[in-house]
Amino acid sequence: MDEPAASPSPAPEPAPGSGPRRRLWPWVLVMILVLLALGAGAVSAVLAREAHSAGARTLHIRYEVTGAAENVTLTYSTWRDDELATGRLTLRRLPWAGEVDTKGFMDGGSFTVTLGGSGGRVACAVTVDDGTRRTATASGPFATASCDGF
């Protein structure tokens, strides 16, 4: 005769509050990513506001050329109606100075002086009303002096 098989003992009941453990690290990672995204958005907003306020300000720019040369070509940048404009001027004699008031001007302006085939020597200078000043010199036929980054 076969004896009846012993019934397996029931699994012990888990204690209250000791259910399966949930992992915490995915939530921490999500929170870190959210905070980084919010921080990047805040930095972008501050930079955009600064660029807009700098572009709304009126600046006074003074261009100057001195030296001993004839038939000198000037090329310069300025901002008009929120767009970059380039001007070109040929001078028979030096010295020369020009001034402009402009709005929307951003860093990166350019002022280039190119000597003609007869050569000579020149110096260029650009002054922006906040005191920023760029200077350069050149000498010889077709030499170029560039006052950039104002």
Side-chain angles (χ1 to χ4, degrees):
M1 292 196 245
D2 287 321
E3 290 194 26
S7 64
S9 61
E13 302 254 342
S18 65
R21 292 190 69 197
R22 294 189 179 178
R23 295 180 188 220
L24 185 60
W25 69 266
W27 293 106
V28 171
L29 181 62
V30 167
M31 289 303 295
I32 290 172
L33 292 174
V34 167
L35 290 174
L36 286 174
L38 290 173
V43 168
S44 296
V46 168
L47 291 176
R49 186 176 58 232
E50 289 297 318
H52 177 71
S53 67
R57 190 170 65 123
T58 299
L59 296 176
H60 182 77
I61 302 172
R62 179 172 172 82
Y63 302 95
E64 300 174 70
V65 181
T66 58
E70 295 179 352
N71 298 320
V72 175
T73 302
L74 311 179
T75 307
Y76 57 93
S77 61
T78 187
W79 288 87
R80 293 192 181 147
D81 299 325
D82 293 327
E83 290 188 21
L84 181 64
T86 302
R88 188 179 181 131
L89 182 63
T90 300
L91 305 175
R92 297 199 184 275
R93 287 187 223 89
L94 298 176
W96 174 87
E99 297 182 11
V100 65
D101 289 322
T102 185
K103 256 188 177 178
F105 200 84
M106 304 296 250
D107 290 342
S110 176
F111 181 50
T112 304
V113 181
T114 304
L115 294 162
S118 60
R121 61 179 170 63
V122 294
C124 67
V126 177
T127 306
V128 180
D129 66 355
D130 68 1
T132 302
R133 183 171 172 89
R134 298 285 189 258
T135 61
T137 60
S139 61
F142 304 109
T144 300
S146 295
C147 296
D148 295 327
F150 52 90

